Amino acid sequence: MDESWVNSAERIGADLHLELSGPGGRRAALIGALREAVRGGRLAPGTRLPPYRSLAADLGVARNTVADAYAELVAEGWLTARQGSGTRVAGRVEPLRHAERVPRKAPPRARGPRHDLGQGTPDASSFPRTAWLASYRRALQQAPNEAFGPGDPAGRVELREALTEYLARARGVRTEPDRIVICSGFAHALRLLFGEGVLRGPLAVEAYGLGFHRGLLETAGVRTVPLPLDEQGARVERLGRERAVLLTPAHQFPTGGPLDPTRRTAVVDWARARGGVIVEDDYDGEFRYDRKPVGAVQGLDPERVIFVGSVSKSLSPAVRLGWMVLPERYVDGVLAAKGEREAWASVLDQLSLADFVSRGSYDRHVRRMRQRYRSRRDRLAAALAEHAPHVEVTGVAAGLHAVLRLPPGTERSTVKAAAWQGIALDGLAEFRHPNTDMPARDGLVVGYATPSEHAYGAALGALCGVLPPAG
Ligand SMILES: Cc1ncc(COP(=O)(O)O)c(C=O)c1O
């Protein structure tokens, strides 16, 4: 055995994952590594150690080095050696003392709410595992070799083609694959558009919206200007010198109504007249219950609207896939913002989604979930009609959440009471733009998608129990 080679190289034991390093030669290093493995619990009491010969071969050390190390550890009481049963870890080895542990505090276990009526997450138990797996398998089998190289920042053409057809059919979006850029969701789209300088502020936003998105824009240095809301949606006649406006036209988030048709044309007229652009957040446009889906504003003028969608509501926010449908003049800028290679959206997931959409699995899943959510919504309305008829339910024609209007001045105490009862939900104040001058509304934003089927009834019961009494 060439000792100089053994000493200079750091060898890893294949089975025991021993790392022989440190001063003092191979024998001392092996003794130290075995002791550490036993002490740390990686080698449990009773574990049989490999024969000298095989461990020596694995580690690139002399057989005698292993024999000596075992003998030493037997003498120290760490190991036992019995004829016929080989060398084993001793049963009475002291457990790791607290002070010897790596001083790392276990992160506190997040204890979920007892009743999850928070908005935002679809029913996780309904993720279409079987159909998604079938799409993933087919995608993997059929992917050309070049798909396993660096990805095109525009996204896989298979997915862009599938989306072109789907979005035209389901959302009235007019586009072509070259105008679509795949991203990892709406938040990513905002980062690409505003964080990388494709669009600049000031940006008009709805007076009630997702604080997370406002924060993201703020971080990008974009000033947001709140547009008040009324029964017809955002008051777009208030638009002035802003360069862009961010809207949720299919289902205002979170208050719930669609943007009125006259406002839809008015905002497009504003964009044309001012050279502005509309960013259309179509976060849950597929889930419309009472009438035909409200088509995308993008269909009115594809050169004035950036339409953004994602699978976060329709499938799961864990998938992290979304799409931006762009006017021609922004395509190069967004691609440049993404970089030379796809760094965000897994190509295999993109190919799976392409298969999932083009084979109709996406339509089937959305249809199934629409029925499920509609029945959840109906149960919510029925529970309120029975137990709290004075509480008006609004924003229920679409989406995965409803807004319960509360008597003025009761929102805070109701949210507190809900938290006290282990109910996760938000008050409307949570979503209010800090600079808006529109009168505050008291209300609860109640998500009805998240609880599993068997837990939903109890969640509704708990909710009814914390609502303020009739005034
Ligand atoms: C208003 C709104 N827009 C967009 C999204 C989607 O965000 P993302 O695609 O980043 O998950 C959500 C949440 O799902 C949302 O509440």
Side-chain angles (χ1 to χ4, degrees), residues 292-360:
K292 273 186 72 181
V294 175
V297 172
Q298 192 269 2
L300 297 179
D301 191 342
E303 289 307 321
R304 291 284 148 207
V305 182
I306 296 175
F307 174 92
V308 186
S310 83
V311 300
S312 290
K313 299 284 191 192
S314 54
L315 279 171
S316 156
V319 177
R320 300 317 308 151
L321 273 180
W323 43 87
M324 309 170 71
V325 178
L326 297 160
E328 188 174 13
R329 65 189 183 286
Y330 295 122
V331 174
D332 288 347
V334 170
L335 288 178
K338 272 197 89 180
E340 273 176 38
R341 297 168 164 204
E342 177 57 73
W344 305 92
S346 151
V347 166
L348 294 178
D349 285 344
Q350 291 185 44
L351 289 172
S352 306
L353 184 60
D355 181 275
F356 198 74
V357 172
S358 55
R359 284 179 179 260

Side-chain angles (χ1 to χ4, degrees), residues 24-44:
R26 302 284 88 183
R27 178 178 170 281
L30 179 55
I31 290 171
L34 283 168
R35 218 187 265 131
E36 209 38 55
V38 174
R39 195 170 18 201
R42 268 201 306 121
L43 289 177

Side-chain angles (χ1 to χ4, degrees), residues 10 26 36 121 167 180-181 226 258 261-262 278 313 319 358 365 368 391 417 431 439:
E10 197 163 84
R26 302 284 88 183
E36 209 38 55
T121 317
L167 294 173
I180 296 181
V181 174
T262 57
I278 301 156
K313 299 284 191 192
V319 177
S358 55
H365 178 67
R368 190 162 67 89
V391 172
F431 302 92

Side-chain angles (χ1 to χ4, degrees), residues 119-120 184-188 209-210 212-213 248 253 281-283 309-313 317 320-322:
Q119 65 74 34
S184 77
F186 184 78
H188 185 211
L210 204 58
F212 169 64
H213 292 158
T248 48
F253 183 86
D281 176 1
D282 195 55
Y283 67 104
S310 83
V311 300
S312 290
K313 299 284 191 192
R320 300 317 308 151
L321 273 180

Side-chain angles (χ1 to χ4, degrees), residues 309-440:
S310 83
V311 300
S312 290
K313 299 284 191 192
S314 54
L315 279 171
S316 156
V319 177
R320 300 317 308 151
L321 273 180
W323 43 87
M324 309 170 71
V325 178
L326 297 160
E328 188 174 13
R329 65 189 183 286
Y330 295 122
V331 174
D332 288 347
V334 170
L335 288 178
K338 272 197 89 180
E340 273 176 38
R341 297 168 164 204
E342 177 57 73
W344 305 92
S346 151
V347 166
L348 294 178
D349 285 344
Q350 291 185 44
L351 289 172
S352 306
L353 184 60
D355 181 275
F356 198 74
V357 172
S358 55
R359 284 179 179 260
S361 302
Y362 193 79
D363 285 283
R364 277 190 291 280
H365 178 67
V366 167
R367 228 177 2 251
R368 190 162 67 89
M369 296 316 292
R370 201 182 289 131
Q371 277 165 13
R372 176 162 303 186
Y373 295 146
R374 182 196 282 132
S375 113
R376 294 266 182 115
R377 177 201 70 159
D378 293 348
R379 282 173 68 189
L380 169 67
L384 290 168
E386 188 177 343
H387 301 288
H390 56 289
V391 172
E392 191 193 350
V393 196
T394 63
V396 286
L400 280 57
H401 70 268
V403 174
L404 277 47
R405 303 291 282 271
L406 298 178
T410 60
E411 180 183 308
R412 264 178 75 159
S413 56
T414 309
V415 171
K416 261 193 180 164
W420 188 249
Q421 295 300 326
I423 309 170
L425 47 69
D426 294 299
L428 266 180
E430 177 77 22
F431 302 92
R432 186 176 164 84
H433 195 292
N435 301 337
T436 184
D437 57 3
M438 76 174 270

